[in-house]
Amino acid sequence: MTRYLLSIYQPDGPVPEPAALAKIMGELQVVSEEMQAAGAWVFAAGLHPPETATVVKAAGGEVLVTDGPFTEGKEHLGGFTVIEAEDLDAALLWARKVAAVLEPLSIEVRPFQG
């Protein structure tokens, strides 16, 4: 089994209204429970907005610490799920289910090394 990272990218800006967000989170919970029942789910988490990020970078023998996201953009990593799947096709089946719930957000699927 290979572990895959399902990264959820969302646009910058306000989150959906509470009623809409509750519906989305409920549907996402159903997919998470289905992953757990199938033995595919490893770990999942949502992230605070990108402005809460701190970037640490070594340069010229010094370590620089700056506020804010690593890159400026119109989208940011909003959350992720780690799954185990036999192959990319199996991982993509789970990613499709997540994408269907989070439409129109993009889900990036990447295997872990090793």
Side-chain angles (χ1 to χ4, degrees), residues 12-36:
D12 286 342
V15 297
E17 295 295 323
L21 187 58
K23 181 181 184 301
I24 292 166
M25 295 309 290
E27 292 174 2
L28 197 55
Q29 182 63 33
V30 169
V31 174
S32 292
E33 289 170 0
E34 187 179 345
M35 287 179 185
Q36 291 172 23

Side-chain angles (χ1 to χ4, degrees), residues 3-62:
R3 285 194 173 174
Y4 291 87
L5 176 66
L6 309 183
S7 301
I8 301 165
Y9 289 92
Q10 63 190 61
D12 286 342
V15 297
E17 295 295 323
L21 187 58
K23 181 181 184 301
I24 292 166
M25 295 309 290
E27 292 174 2
L28 197 55
Q29 182 63 33
V30 169
V31 174
S32 292
E33 289 170 0
E34 187 179 345
M35 287 179 185
Q36 291 172 23
W41 188 89
V42 176
F43 176 72
L47 300 171
H48 285 282
E51 59 269 12
T52 65
T54 303
V55 179
V56 180
K57 181 178 181 179
E62 293 185 32

Side-chain angles (χ1 to χ4, degrees), residues 53-75:
T54 303
V55 179
V56 180
K57 181 178 181 179
E62 293 185 32
V63 177
L64 307 173
V65 178
T66 57
D67 292 336
F70 173 66
T71 59
E72 298 293 329
K74 295 181 180 179
E75 294 183 323

